Amino acid sequence: MLNVVRVKIKKHFLIISIAALGLSGLCFTYAMDEQQWLYWSNKCLAEAYNSYGDTKLKKWELNITNNAFVRLRKTYTNGKQEYFSFHLHRFNDLDYLGTTTTGTLQLKTIADDIIVQTYGDPKGDIDTMATSLSIQVKNMDPDRLDSLRNALIYLKEKN
């Protein structure tokens, strides 16, 4: 009889230990590192970029580089190219105008820190600076927008 009680106590202790170990794992949150934030940010921007609003757009590239530059290059069917670039250490904040279906993401910098260049434009090539970069996006719900903002702030602080 004593052995039966010991076996039951060991069994209960084992079950409680496993449950406690499992619950203790829930107390620790998983923190993403710089490369994971970079990968997620690029994935989010690529999936959200809305190129359908501009019918003359031939191709586009939107990414955040390993050295924390935000770059957007648009190439149009007539050969014109637009290029926007800024370093994330100059990032100030972002705004979103629109609905969860479509809208405009505005990345803002501290001052005129965004390089704006055009090539092959019939009106002439332009080199100038700007304080905000407007990006047409789609399917941007509030959680995704907030996560993108957190990622940009994280990457800004790491670089």
Side-chain angles (χ1 to χ4, degrees):
M1 168 112 173
L2 189 56
N3 284 339
V4 173
V5 172
R6 284 185 185 162
V7 170
K8 286 184 179 181
I9 290 174
K10 284 183 182 179
K11 194 176 194 181
H12 289 295
F13 179 74
L14 181 63
I15 291 171
I16 291 171
S17 297
I18 291 172
L21 184 62
L23 289 174
S24 69
L26 295 176
C27 296
F28 299 102
T29 58
Y30 174 71
M32 291 177 31
D33 67 12
E34 185 174 354
Q35 286 301 310
Q36 290 167 320
W37 275 118
L38 187 63
Y39 172 79
W40 186 91
S41 299
N42 280 318
K43 182 179 179 215
C44 177
L45 289 170
E47 290 174 353
Y49 186 75
N50 188 1
S51 63
Y52 298 113
D54 198 344
T55 58
K56 296 181 181 184
L57 192 61
K58 181 178 176 181
K59 70 177 186 175
W60 58 273
E61 299 171 41
L62 174 61
N63 64 19
I64 302 171
T65 65
N66 287 336
N67 55 353
F69 274 93
V70 176
R71 295 199 169 126
L72 171 61
R73 181 183 305 272
K74 298 178 185 181
T75 305
Y76 294 91
T77 54
N78 65 0
K80 175 184 170 183
Q81 288 186 23
E82 294 178 340
Y83 177 75
F84 306 87
S85 177
F86 70 94
H87 196 278
L88 275 176
H89 78 272
R90 304 300 294 172
F91 174 71
N92 190 27
D93 204 357
L94 64 82
D95 283 335
Y96 183 74
L97 307 168
T99 65
T100 57
T101 308
T102 60
T104 303
L105 180 66
Q106 293 180 328
L107 302 177
K108 297 183 177 188
T109 57
I110 298 168
D112 286 343
D113 298 311
I114 300 173
I115 298 168
V116 180
Q117 297 174 314
T118 62
Y119 306 100
D121 191 346
K123 298 176 187 172
D125 295 344
I126 298 171
D127 281 340
T128 188
M129 304 295 283
T131 57
S132 70
L133 171 59
S134 295
I135 303 170
Q136 298 300 316
V137 293
K138 62 183 187 254
N139 303 326
M140 187 63 79
D141 63 58
D143 291 337
R144 187 177 196 134
L145 184 62
D146 188 48
S147 185
L148 178 60
R149 182 179 182 277
N150 290 337
L152 294 175
I153 290 170
Y154 176 86
L155 292 169
K156 171 186 176 174
E157 291 172 355
K158 289 303 263 184
N159 289 293

